[in-house]
Amino acid sequence: MSGPVPSLATRGDAVLTNLRLVDGIRPTPQDGLAIVIEAGRIARIEPDTAHTADAASGVHDLGGAVVMPGLINMHTHFSLSLPGPGGDAVSALDPHELALYMADGARRTLLSGVTTVRCVSEKGGADFALRRAIEAGHVAGPRIFTAGRGLCCTGGHGHDTDDTLECDGADAVTRGVRSQIAAGADLVKLMISGGIAGENEQITTPQLTRDEMSAAISTAHAWGRKVTAHAGPAAIIAEAVELGLDCVEHGYELTPEVAALMAAHGTALVPTLVVTRAKAFFDDLGVPEWMQQRSLEAGPRHLDSYRYALDAGVDVLLGSDMPPFWDFEGTSAVVRELEHMQAGGLPAPDVVRAATSAPARWLGADDLGILAPGAWADLVAMPDDPTADISALRGIDLVMRGGVIVRDDAGRTR
């Protein structure tokens, strides 16, 4: 190679032919179409009759593969550090090492088929730097929407690492919200109850007062930011929903009544079912027995809560909490989460929407999560149809972000 070495391409041109299109909106694939991509966005979707496959000219025959929007993971932590040796190693990284560690996680996340993430508490502001680096083409990764640091009470959930900011009282919480928005946060994350990973708390421990939640939510909304909350017990969730909470993370102990309240208020749920079914992951990290026991024992109630949400018509959204790319039970953690969502009662076409267009709608990003003219050409391909069985995503063999192919296992685009 002669001449200057460019940064990674962030936008590309291509024509994809001989495919079955799952657009993130319709419940079944469409046949006989081609996708024309210009400068990273879908310019046209047209009959697949006018194009001849030619890699040199950017026209690629996908051999009948199913193409769908790239996955949008709404609960991601690139700097996750759970109790135990694995988490301790992450917490011991200096700021430079942490940035590189997170960049590697972002690259692996993209290659797993996740083209957009919502980060919901990251350490030391490194998420903002990572977002800029990805947008500039310095490192490979998904599109990032981030909450910056989560807000918790003194000693609250996540207080022992710097991915949270301890705030007590309405004034302090207001300042906390504003501080994350000033740093560049796209949304705000609150820790309103205990959880699985806190040794000195229970899932049911309420951790923010009504005044604190009200201050956080009203301040964030005034600045045009939505609010999501780590939350387990029904009572604290109900109180936050009545105050205007936009999304619940986990929702371990919902009731039918609280699920109905969420549906009535348009409050979404990111269930993260995999986190109460993650023994192999915990073993990989050396997570202590007290946390493993709390997680696994919460599993049946967690699944009941998810089903209450489905029955009530709550908008459920994909979120793995575990690193999306993690090699877990024969697939990636993000695909395993989607399989749990289907097994728990959500039909496969709706699981596809929960992983694509529904998260994009929550994010206010109408050019993501769908394959339609004007949308970003963020997509994945696989041999089988995920609207028939979401386990088809175990076969992802092509990933494109912004019209740039970043993974091509099947060699269809060379």
Side-chain angles (χ1 to χ4, degrees), residues 72-83 101 105 109 114 116-123 157-158 163 189 191 194-198 201 203 228-232 248-252 269-278 281-282 285 287 291 295 302 317-326 328 332-338 340-341:
I72 300 178
N73 192 328
M74 295 285 277
H75 194 118
T76 305
H77 304 279
F78 287 127
S79 56
L80 180 69
S81 57
L82 296 176
Y101 175 83
T109 294
V114 176
T116 298
V117 298
R118 189 185 67 164
C119 294
V120 283
S121 296
E122 301 287 5
K123 292 181 173 57
H157 188 73
D163 57 6
K189 168 78 176 290
M191 308 298 194
I196 286 171
E201 63 190 32
I203 289 173
T228 194
H230 165 100
V248 171
E249 309 297 310
H250 314 302
Y252 298 117
L269 172 67
V270 180
T272 66
L273 295 172
V274 76
V275 303
T276 52
R277 291 153 179 81
F281 172 64
F282 294 151
L285 298 182
V287 167
M291 180 177 165
S295 167
H302 191 189
L317 312 175
L318 166 64
S320 65
D321 203 350
M322 286 173 59
F325 54 83
W326 202 268
F328 184 67
S332 65
V334 69
V335 171
R336 196 71 188 96
E337 173 66 21
L338 291 168
H340 284 306
M341 292 174 76

XYZ file of all heavy atoms in Angstrom, residues 72-83 101 105 109 114 116-123 157-158 163 189 191 194-198 201 203 228-232 248-252 269-278 281-282 285 287 291 295 302 317-326 328 332-338 340-341:
641
model
N -30.054 -3.864 18.129
C -29.884 -2.709 19.012
C -29.989 -3.209 20.445
O -31.054 -3.641 20.888
C -30.936 -1.621 18.739
C -30.824 -1.134 17.287
C -30.763 -0.461 19.713
C -31.862 -0.085 16.900
N -28.881 -3.186 21.158
C -28.810 -3.700 22.529
C -28.966 -2.529 23.498
O -28.083 -1.672 23.596
C -27.478 -4.414 22.753
C -27.462 -5.220 24.037
O -28.101 -4.856 25.010
N -26.725 -6.314 24.039
N -30.065 -2.527 24.240
C -30.410 -1.377 25.078
C -29.874 -1.461 26.503
O -30.144 -0.573 27.315
C -31.929 -1.231 25.100
C -32.530 -0.890 23.749
S -32.251 0.825 23.270
C -33.609 1.625 24.153
N -29.116 -2.492 26.832
C -28.519 -2.567 28.167
C -27.111 -3.132 28.032
O -26.894 -4.341 28.081
C -29.349 -3.440 29.103
C -28.988 -3.283 30.552
N -29.873 -2.810 31.498
C -27.836 -3.518 31.217
C -29.277 -2.783 32.681
N -28.024 -3.207 32.529
N -26.167 -2.224 27.865
C -24.770 -2.590 27.626
C -23.876 -1.858 28.614
O -24.118 -0.693 28.939
C -24.353 -2.222 26.180
O -25.258 -2.821 25.268
C -22.939 -2.700 25.877
N -22.844 -2.551 29.087
C -21.785 -1.949 29.906
C -20.448 -2.404 29.328
O -20.035 -3.549 29.551
C -21.858 -2.416 31.362
C -23.152 -2.176 32.061
N -23.491 -0.964 32.612
C -24.191 -3.006 32.322
C -24.678 -1.056 33.187
N -25.130 -2.299 33.016
N -19.747 -1.555 28.620
C -18.431 -1.940 28.105
C -17.387 -2.008 29.211
O -16.329 -2.612 29.031
C -17.972 -0.960 27.021
C -18.701 -1.111 25.720
C -19.305 -0.023 25.123
C -18.780 -2.340 25.083
C -19.978 -0.151 23.917
C -19.444 -2.482 23.885
C -20.053 -1.385 23.291
N -17.675 -1.393 30.360
C -16.715 -1.410 31.476
C -17.235 -2.230 32.653
O -16.837 -2.001 33.796
C -16.427 0.028 31.931
O -17.619 0.721 32.280
N -18.081 -3.207 32.376
C -18.693 -4.020 33.431
C -17.639 -4.668 34.332
O -16.682 -5.265 33.855
C -19.546 -5.118 32.786
C -20.269 -6.067 33.732
C -21.383 -5.330 34.480
C -20.845 -7.262 32.957
N -17.847 -4.566 35.634
C -16.952 -5.240 36.590
C -17.792 -5.773 37.741
O -18.090 -5.054 38.682
C -15.863 -4.288 37.102
O -16.435 -3.135 37.697
N -18.169 -7.034 37.643
C -18.948 -7.695 38.682
C -18.036 -8.125 39.829
O -16.812 -8.199 39.663
C -19.652 -8.913 38.094
C -20.694 -8.639 37.007
C -21.229 -9.952 36.454
C -21.830 -7.774 37.540
N -18.588 -8.433 41.003
C -17.759 -8.975 42.087
C -17.024 -10.240 41.645
O -17.563 -11.053 40.882
C -18.792 -9.285 43.173
C -19.941 -8.362 42.899
C -20.006 -8.248 41.405
N -9.565 -1.482 26.605
C -10.419 -2.625 26.917
C -11.831 -2.408 26.379
O -12.431 -3.304 25.765
C -10.434 -2.824 28.433
C -11.372 -3.892 28.924
C -10.999 -5.230 28.937
C -12.648 -3.557 29.398
C -11.864 -6.219 29.394
C -13.515 -4.533 29.859
C -13.118 -5.858 29.856
O -13.981 -6.828 30.303
N -14.073 -4.346 23.408
C -15.439 -4.799 23.613
C -16.395 -4.239 22.575
O -17.305 -4.934 22.102
N -18.506 -6.430 19.982
C -19.959 -6.243 19.969
C -20.467 -6.040 18.551
O -21.461 -6.650 18.134
C -20.330 -5.055 20.866
O -20.026 -5.381 22.231
C -21.796 -4.688 20.748
N -24.421 -6.603 16.696
C -25.033 -5.470 17.392
C -24.460 -4.189 16.793
O -23.285 -3.878 16.995
C -24.775 -5.535 18.906
C -25.336 -4.303 19.601
C -25.365 -6.806 19.490
N -25.908 -1.051 17.175
C -26.181 0.101 18.041
C -26.315 -0.399 19.468
O -26.913 -1.456 19.706
C -27.484 0.822 17.628
O -27.359 1.317 16.302
C -27.784 1.987 18.553
N -25.768 0.361 20.409
C -25.929 0.037 21.829
C -26.410 1.256 22.592
O -26.197 2.401 22.194
C -24.611 -0.463 22.467
C -24.129 -1.743 21.815
C -23.529 0.612 22.431
N -27.072 0.962 23.709
C -27.371 1.978 24.705
C -26.584 1.603 25.948
O -26.849 0.583 26.579
C -28.877 2.006 24.993
C -29.317 3.171 25.869
C -30.797 3.094 26.224
N -31.072 1.961 27.094
C -32.195 1.818 27.816
N -33.150 2.719 27.733
N -32.371 0.767 28.585
N -25.583 2.400 26.284
C -24.756 2.150 27.471
C -25.475 2.730 28.691
O -25.891 3.893 28.670
C -23.384 2.783 27.318
S -22.375 2.055 26.001
N -25.573 1.929 29.742
C -26.339 2.350 30.913
C -25.484 2.263 32.171
O -25.803 1.547 33.106
C -27.642 1.529 31.046
C -28.676 2.013 30.057
C -27.405 0.032 30.869
N -24.419 3.002 32.192
C -23.453 3.235 33.268
C -22.089 2.714 32.836
O -21.884 1.508 32.729
C -23.833 2.596 34.606
O -25.030 3.165 35.106
N -21.183 3.647 32.616
C -19.812 3.321 32.221
C -18.836 4.102 33.089
O -19.161 5.152 33.643
C -19.568 3.638 30.745
C -20.478 2.909 29.770
C -20.157 1.427 29.621
O -19.284 0.915 30.350
O -20.795 0.772 28.783
N -17.636 3.583 33.167
C -16.636 4.126 34.084
C -15.925 5.353 33.516
O -15.516 5.364 32.361
C -15.592 3.054 34.407
C -16.121 1.892 35.244
C -15.017 0.897 35.541
C -15.465 -0.183 36.518
N -16.638 -0.934 36.078
N -26.791 0.920 44.680
C -26.405 -0.075 43.686
C -25.329 0.482 42.761
O -25.514 1.512 42.120
C -27.627 -0.491 42.871
C -27.361 -1.644 41.958
N -27.209 -2.936 42.425
C -27.193 -1.707 40.617
C -26.979 -3.744 41.403
N -26.959 -3.025 40.298
N -24.189 -0.209 42.723
C -23.084 0.211 41.872
C -22.194 1.285 42.448
O -21.302 1.791 41.759
N -18.544 3.976 37.737
C -19.570 4.075 36.701
C -20.875 4.623 37.266
O -21.873 4.751 36.555
C -19.811 2.737 35.991
C -20.201 1.601 36.921
O -20.405 1.848 38.120
O -20.286 0.452 36.435
N -29.635 7.477 33.642
C -29.852 6.185 34.303
C -29.894 6.395 35.814
O -28.983 6.992 36.404
C -28.707 5.231 33.936
C -28.621 3.939 34.768
C -29.635 2.904 34.343
C -29.457 1.590 35.115
N -28.234 0.854 34.744
N -30.466 4.430 39.674
C -30.494 3.184 40.441
C -31.525 3.381 41.549
O -31.225 3.971 42.588
C -29.123 2.883 41.050
C -27.964 2.908 40.060
S -28.110 1.676 38.750
C -26.428 1.723 38.079
N -32.150 -1.931 44.939
C -31.024 -2.837 44.956
C -31.059 -3.783 43.769
O -31.950 -3.713 42.907
N -30.079 -4.687 43.740
C -29.999 -5.602 42.607
C -29.234 -6.861 42.962
O -28.972 -7.152 44.131
N -28.855 -7.574 41.936
C -28.168 -8.852 42.103
C -26.733 -8.666 42.578
O -26.224 -9.450 43.380
C -28.210 -9.632 40.771
C -29.626 -10.186 40.538
C -27.188 -10.753 40.742
C -29.831 -10.771 39.167
N -26.060 -7.598 42.097
C -24.616 -7.490 42.292
C -24.205 -6.711 43.536
O -23.017 -6.496 43.745
C -23.974 -6.848 41.053
N -25.144 -6.288 44.365
C -24.784 -5.523 45.557
C -24.815 -6.388 46.803
O -25.889 -6.852 47.218
N -27.119 -5.202 49.944
C -28.477 -4.797 49.613
C -29.251 -6.031 49.167
O -28.673 -7.106 48.980
C -28.463 -3.770 48.466
C -27.897 -4.344 47.167
C -27.644 -3.295 46.091
O -27.315 -2.151 46.451
O -27.771 -3.633 44.905
N -32.498 -7.172 46.220
C -33.201 -6.698 45.028
C -34.329 -5.762 45.414
O -34.618 -4.773 44.718
C -33.734 -7.897 44.218
C -32.572 -8.650 43.551
C -34.747 -7.458 43.167
C -32.983 -9.946 42.858
N -34.120 6.049 32.309
C -34.330 4.640 32.587
C -33.821 4.342 33.988
O -33.001 5.085 34.535
C -33.645 3.744 31.538
O -34.152 2.418 31.660
C -32.120 3.723 31.698
N -34.325 3.251 34.559
C -33.984 2.958 35.953
C -33.721 1.485 36.166
O -34.525 0.633 35.763
C -35.116 3.409 36.880
N -32.582 1.195 36.793
C -32.344 -0.136 37.361
C -33.369 -0.301 38.469
O -33.419 0.502 39.407
C -30.918 -0.213 37.914
C -30.715 -1.390 38.818
N -30.114 -2.550 38.403
C -31.054 -1.575 40.121
C -30.081 -3.398 39.405
N -30.644 -2.836 40.457
N -34.201 -1.351 38.353
C -35.279 -1.479 39.328
C -35.738 -2.918 39.426
O -35.866 -3.609 38.419
C -36.458 -0.581 38.938
N -36.026 -3.352 40.647
C -36.512 -4.696 40.874
C -37.935 -4.767 41.396
O -38.800 -5.367 40.776
N -37.823 0.726 32.351
C -37.398 -0.065 33.504
C -36.382 -1.093 33.031
O -36.615 -1.799 32.045
C -38.598 -0.783 34.156
C -38.133 -1.771 35.218
C -39.573 0.239 34.746
N -35.258 -1.182 33.745
C -34.259 -2.218 33.495
C -34.484 -3.369 34.478
O -34.625 -3.146 35.673
C -32.843 -1.665 33.686
C -32.554 -0.371 32.926
C -32.637 -0.536 31.427
O -32.026 -1.479 30.880
O -33.329 0.281 30.792
N -34.547 -4.554 33.971
C -34.704 -5.801 34.742
C -36.153 -6.048 35.151
O -36.771 -6.992 34.689
C -33.802 -5.860 35.975
C -32.393 -5.451 35.749
N -31.573 -6.072 34.826
C -31.642 -4.475 36.324
C -30.379 -5.492 34.841
N -30.396 -4.532 35.740
N -36.692 -5.230 36.055
C -38.063 -5.431 36.514
C -38.267 -6.816 37.099
O -39.211 -7.522 36.752
N -37.400 -7.195 38.038
C -37.403 -8.567 38.542
C -38.715 -8.995 39.187
O -39.063 -10.169 39.163
C -36.294 -8.747 39.588
C -34.896 -8.522 39.086
C -34.115 -7.489 39.602
C -34.340 -9.349 38.115
C -32.817 -7.281 39.166
C -33.048 -9.148 37.665
C -32.289 -8.108 38.188
O -31.003 -7.906 37.758
N -39.882 -1.827 28.981
C -39.143 -2.762 29.841
C -38.002 -3.373 29.045
O -38.207 -3.889 27.947
C -40.065 -3.878 30.334
C -39.392 -5.032 31.093
C -38.827 -4.550 32.433
C -40.354 -6.195 31.297
N -36.797 -3.317 29.625
C -35.652 -4.066 29.109
C -35.423 -5.203 30.096
O -34.825 -5.008 31.158
C -34.405 -3.171 28.981
C -33.225 -3.973 28.454
C -34.689 -1.987 28.057
N -35.915 -6.411 29.807
C -35.994 -7.445 30.844
C -34.677 -8.104 31.233
O -34.563 -8.624 32.346
C -36.947 -8.477 30.235
C -36.856 -8.276 28.760
C -36.606 -6.812 28.568
N -33.697 -8.147 30.345
C -32.400 -8.782 30.637
C -32.578 -10.150 31.282
O -31.981 -10.449 32.325
C -31.501 -7.893 31.530
O -32.086 -7.739 32.828
C -31.288 -6.517 30.910
N -33.377 -11.005 30.680
C -33.672 -12.313 31.264
C -32.424 -13.156 31.487
O -32.360 -13.970 32.410
C -34.644 -13.067 30.357
C -36.042 -12.460 30.219
C -36.835 -13.194 29.139
C -36.792 -12.485 31.541
N -31.419 -12.949 30.652
C -30.230 -13.791 30.717
C -29.468 -13.611 32.031
O -28.758 -14.515 32.465
C -29.332 -13.540 29.491
C -28.563 -12.238 29.620
C -28.385 -14.698 29.227
N -29.637 -12.474 32.705
C -28.820 -12.229 33.900
C -29.230 -13.092 35.082
O -28.452 -13.237 36.029
C -28.816 -10.736 34.314
C -28.330 -9.859 33.190
C -30.169 -10.284 34.813
N -30.448 -13.667 35.045
C -30.821 -14.603 36.109
C -30.724 -16.044 35.616
O -31.258 -16.965 36.258
C -32.247 -14.310 36.623
O -33.169 -14.260 35.531
C -32.275 -12.980 37.360
N -30.008 -16.220 34.521
C -29.786 -17.552 33.937
C -28.343 -17.642 33.434
O -28.080 -18.202 32.386
C -30.767 -17.779 32.771
C -32.178 -17.914 33.228
C -33.210 -17.497 32.194
N -34.541 -17.693 32.762
C -35.131 -16.821 33.595
N -34.520 -15.692 33.922
N -36.323 -17.079 34.094
N -27.420 -17.094 34.177
C -26.072 -16.845 33.660
C -24.984 -17.551 34.451
O -23.871 -17.029 34.568
C -25.812 -15.337 33.650
N -21.537 -17.826 32.786
C -20.870 -16.524 32.715
C -20.284 -16.154 34.068
O -19.122 -15.718 34.174
C -21.878 -15.476 32.250
C -21.394 -14.056 32.299
C -20.337 -13.634 31.512
C -22.020 -13.130 33.127
C -19.898 -12.310 31.550
C -21.588 -11.821 33.173
C -20.530 -11.404 32.384
N -21.051 -16.339 35.123
C -20.549 -16.036 36.459
C -19.343 -16.908 36.808
O -18.379 -16.442 37.422
C -21.656 -16.240 37.501
C -22.805 -15.284 37.385
C -24.079 -15.663 37.783
C -22.628 -14.004 36.895
C -25.147 -14.793 37.699
C -23.687 -13.112 36.798
C -24.952 -13.511 37.199
N -16.155 -15.589 35.356
C -15.607 -14.404 36.016
C -15.258 -14.644 37.480
O -14.745 -13.735 38.139
C -16.612 -13.247 35.927
C -16.973 -12.752 34.526
C -17.934 -11.579 34.609
C -15.729 -12.341 33.750
N -17.462 -15.112 39.880
C -18.441 -14.387 40.699
C -18.736 -15.183 41.966
O -18.931 -16.401 41.914
C -19.726 -14.148 39.871
C -20.875 -13.681 40.759
C -19.447 -13.142 38.765
N -23.681 -13.981 45.127
C -24.294 -13.326 43.974
C -24.915 -14.347 43.017
O -26.011 -14.141 42.487
C -23.273 -12.462 43.237
C -23.863 -11.764 42.027
S -22.696 -10.667 41.210
C -23.577 -10.428 39.650
N -28.860 -14.430 42.011
C -29.268 -14.365 40.609
C -30.153 -15.537 40.219
O -31.259 -15.359 39.694
C -28.022 -14.332 39.713
O -28.368 -14.555 38.364
N -38.452 -13.562 37.974
C -38.087 -12.672 36.872
C -38.882 -13.034 35.613
O -39.425 -12.152 34.923
C -36.572 -12.800 36.628
C -35.984 -11.785 35.733
N -34.679 -11.873 35.280
C -36.476 -10.658 35.170
C -34.407 -10.860 34.500
N -35.478 -10.106 34.410
N -37.913 -4.434 25.120
C -36.776 -4.091 24.277
C -35.593 -4.985 24.627
O -35.383 -5.337 25.792
C -36.381 -2.626 24.491
C -37.495 -1.593 24.449
C -36.956 -0.211 24.811
C -38.168 -1.566 23.079
N -34.788 -5.302 23.635
C -33.600 -6.135 23.841
C -32.562 -5.440 24.715
O -32.228 -4.283 24.491
C -32.968 -6.459 22.475
C -31.546 -7.035 22.494
C -31.523 -8.398 23.174
C -30.987 -7.112 21.089
N -32.040 -6.189 25.671
C -30.888 -5.738 26.443
C -30.250 -6.937 27.107
O -30.934 -7.720 27.775
N -28.952 -7.110 26.945
C -28.309 -8.327 27.448
C -27.661 -8.155 28.821
O -27.502 -9.123 29.549
C -27.248 -8.823 26.458
O -26.193 -7.886 26.343
N -27.254 -6.929 29.173
C -26.482 -6.667 30.391
C -25.118 -7.361 30.297
O -24.076 -6.715 30.427
C -27.242 -7.102 31.634
C -26.771 -6.378 32.893
O -25.751 -5.686 32.831
O -27.434 -6.504 33.943
N -25.087 -8.655 30.114
C -23.833 -9.344 29.808
C -23.208 -8.738 28.554
O -23.923 -8.232 27.690
C -24.090 -10.826 29.546
C -24.392 -11.645 30.770
S -24.890 -13.339 30.328
C -23.438 -13.896 29.418
N -21.874 -8.786 28.400
C -21.267 -8.330 27.140
C -21.944 -9.026 25.957
O -22.041 -10.263 25.938
C -19.808 -8.747 27.286
C -19.565 -8.766 28.765
C -20.848 -9.249 29.368
N -22.454 -8.279 24.988
C -23.260 -8.888 23.919
C -22.545 -10.012 23.176
O -23.180 -10.964 22.712
C -23.545 -7.711 22.985
C -23.422 -6.504 23.841
C -22.353 -6.823 24.841
N -21.228 -9.904 23.059
C -20.448 -10.840 22.260
C -20.046 -12.097 23.035
O -19.455 -13.011 22.457
C -19.161 -10.158 21.775
C -18.356 -9.561 22.903
C -17.493 -10.336 23.663
C -18.487 -8.216 23.219
C -16.767 -9.800 24.711
C -17.758 -7.655 24.271
C -16.906 -8.452 25.014
N -20.353 -12.167 24.324
C -19.819 -13.235 25.168
C -20.225 -14.604 24.635
O -21.388 -14.835 24.317
C -20.308 -13.067 26.603
C -19.433 -13.760 27.603
C -19.560 -15.031 28.090
C -18.271 -13.211 28.238
N -18.561 -15.307 28.985
C -17.755 -14.205 29.098
C -17.632 -11.974 28.175
C -16.620 -14.001 29.885
C -16.506 -11.764 28.949
C -16.020 -12.765 29.790
N -21.575 -17.849 24.980
C -22.433 -18.283 26.074
C -23.455 -19.302 25.580
O -24.247 -19.022 24.678
C -23.152 -17.062 26.665
C -23.997 -17.356 27.866
C -23.418 -17.747 29.060
C -25.368 -17.227 27.803
C -24.198 -18.022 30.178
C -26.161 -17.494 28.915
C -25.572 -17.890 30.105
N -23.897 -16.231 21.179
C -23.503 -15.009 21.889
C -24.547 -14.685 22.958
O -25.708 -15.116 22.883
C -23.389 -13.840 20.906
O -24.661 -13.531 20.356
N -24.151 -13.891 23.935
C -25.067 -13.521 25.010
C -26.285 -12.786 24.471
O -27.403 -12.968 24.966
C -24.350 -12.670 26.049
N -26.095 -11.947 23.464
C -27.225 -11.172 22.949
C -28.230 -12.076 22.248
O -29.456 -11.892 22.394
C -26.742 -10.024 22.035
C -26.167 -10.531 20.724
C -27.874 -9.044 21.761
N -27.764 -13.066 21.521
C -28.691 -14.002 20.879
C -29.374 -14.864 21.936
O -30.581 -15.155 21.845
C -27.976 -14.857 19.830
C -28.883 -15.972 19.312
C -27.503 -13.981 18.671
N -28.639 -15.248 22.962
C -29.252 -16.064 24.025
C -30.366 -15.279 24.716
O -31.402 -15.847 25.078
C -28.182 -16.489 25.039
C -28.636 -17.630 25.917
C -28.719 -18.942 25.148
N -29.334 -20.006 25.957
C -30.622 -20.346 25.907
N -31.450 -19.718 25.080
N -31.086 -21.310 26.674
N -30.157 -13.993 24.925
C -31.210 -13.163 25.504
C -32.462 -13.177 24.621
O -33.590 -13.321 25.110
C -30.720 -11.725 25.693
C -31.788 -10.733 26.128
C -32.347 -10.982 27.520
O -31.686 -11.664 28.336
O -33.460 -10.483 27.810
N -32.273 -13.044 23.320
C -33.411 -13.057 22.400
C -34.131 -14.403 22.425
O -35.364 -14.465 22.342
C -32.943 -12.719 20.993
C -32.493 -11.268 20.799
C -31.771 -11.095 19.480
C -33.683 -10.316 20.871
N -34.337 -16.353 25.040
C -35.130 -16.348 26.274
C -36.405 -15.519 26.093
O -37.467 -15.894 26.619
C -34.316 -15.783 27.434
C -33.297 -16.719 27.997
N -33.602 -17.991 28.432
C -31.957 -16.562 28.216
C -32.502 -18.585 28.903
N -31.490 -17.731 28.776
N -36.311 -14.412 25.372
C -37.495 -13.585 25.146
C -38.553 -14.353 24.358
O -39.751 -14.277 24.662
C -37.097 -12.299 24.435
C -36.247 -11.368 25.291
S -35.620 -9.917 24.397
C -37.098 -8.901 24.314
